[in-house]
Amino acid sequence: MRRSLRAWALRLSPGTKRAAYLRPKPTADELRQGAEHLLYEVQMVSNTVALFEDESSWNKGYGWQSKTLYMANLESFLVHMRALMDFVCPPRKWETRQVNERGIFAADYCKAWGTRPWPTLREQHKQISREIQHLTLDRPSVGRNWEYAEMLRKLRKELLRFIDEADGLPSEIGDSLRGILEREVRVSTTNTAAPPLDITPFLGSDPGMSRATTGFISSGE
């Protein structure tokens, strides 16, 4: 009831205005779940950058395999980067847009979170949307060079500020995030619930089925 009253406009008689939509505040369980997802996003951004820094083990520099691996790593970095841009600095009036009802944002964990977008954030956000996440006529005929190291440096600064200010963030998640951001810890396992007894679908043993996309990053892989 609390959610419905806060989330939805009151139904008034025809011809009258409805109350403005206000995004519901996530529950404690939802914040815990969101923190796990945040950790995964930071893992992926950090790990993809690590692959850029040392390509010797995976990019042989020739053939369709290496080209595909390189582009897949770049696009993975950009997609996860965009999600974290939205997390630390959502667009204006984000709380009044119903599309954000199930989203998780830095402000959910802080008593007072002041967004501090870096000068190129909005344009980079649009570029990722146009050139990676959506098929548009605005894609350039020749792909751009992305300043991934500088993008990560600016994002890291905001995420560390978030950890310092987030009173609603589980301490173990905060410690894991700080380890990745400050000490460049490349792999750690998120504290996800135990998988079901039959985990075959999650391990991808059947032809054509992928492994799970979250919570399965472990040391040495």
Side-chain angles (χ1 to χ4, degrees):
M1 179 62 71
R2 177 180 62 84
R3 275 184 156 273
S4 61
L5 287 176
R6 191 168 179 218
W8 294 99
L10 296 175
R11 296 185 179 277
L12 304 177
S13 59
T16 61
K17 293 184 178 180
R18 293 180 178 181
Y21 170 85
L22 182 61
R23 172 180 171 272
K25 184 173 179 59
T27 65
D29 287 342
E30 289 170 338
L31 288 176
R32 174 74 198 196
Q33 180 184 2
E36 299 282 0
H37 296 328
L38 171 63
L39 177 56
Y40 175 74
E41 293 297 314
V42 175
Q43 280 182 317
M44 290 302 295
V45 163
S46 178
N47 290 350
T48 51
V49 167
L51 290 177
F52 281 130
E53 298 296 329
D54 182 11
E55 300 180 21
S56 60
S57 63
W58 62 277
N59 184 9
K60 305 307 178 184
Y62 58 87
W64 66 268
Q65 294 98 330
S66 291
K67 177 66 172 179
T68 302
L69 286 172
Y70 186 87
M71 294 306 297
N73 190 63
L74 171 61
E75 293 178 5
S76 177
F77 165 77
L78 293 172
V79 169
H80 292 292
M81 183 78 188
R82 187 176 184 268
L84 290 170
M85 287 177 173
D86 284 334
F87 176 78
V88 297
C89 191
R92 291 177 63 249
K93 300 182 179 180
W94 62 276
E95 287 188 292
T96 62
R97 299 178 61 191
Q98 192 171 335
V99 69
N100 293 323
E101 181 171 341
R102 299 295 294 167
I104 290 291
F105 302 90
D108 292 322
Y109 298 88
C110 303
K111 293 179 180 178
W113 174 252
T115 58
R116 298 178 187 175
W118 55 90
T120 56
L121 183 147
R122 297 302 181 204
E123 183 56 31
Q124 289 168 344
H125 189 280
K126 291 179 182 177
Q127 289 168 353
I128 297 170
S129 178
R130 290 192 299 253
E131 300 176 27
I132 304 298
Q133 293 194 296
H134 300 94
L135 276 174
T136 74
L137 296 174
D138 294 326
R139 286 190 176 187
S141 55
V142 178
R144 71 178 68 249
N145 294 324
W146 296 88
E147 297 180 345
Y148 69 86
E150 182 65 11
M151 293 170 70
L152 179 60
R153 185 186 69 80
K154 293 174 179 177
L155 175 66
R156 180 186 290 122
K157 179 180 179 181
E158 290 307 297
L159 286 171
L160 288 172
R161 181 170 71 90
F162 162 73
I163 296 170
D164 290 338
E165 297 184 18
D167 55 293
L169 185 70
S171 59
E172 67 273 19
I173 299 293
D175 291 342
S176 295
L177 289 171
R178 194 177 296 278
I180 296 170
L181 296 168
E182 290 186 340
R183 301 189 299 278
E184 297 185 346
V185 174
R186 295 302 178 196
V187 288
S188 61
T189 304
T190 56
N191 187 25
T192 54
L197 293 179
D198 180 11
I199 63 174
T200 301
F202 298 94
L203 298 181
S205 59
D206 295 335
M209 184 172 289
S210 72
R211 292 176 182 267
T213 57
T214 61
F216 284 84
I217 301 176
S218 59
S219 180
E221 295 187 358

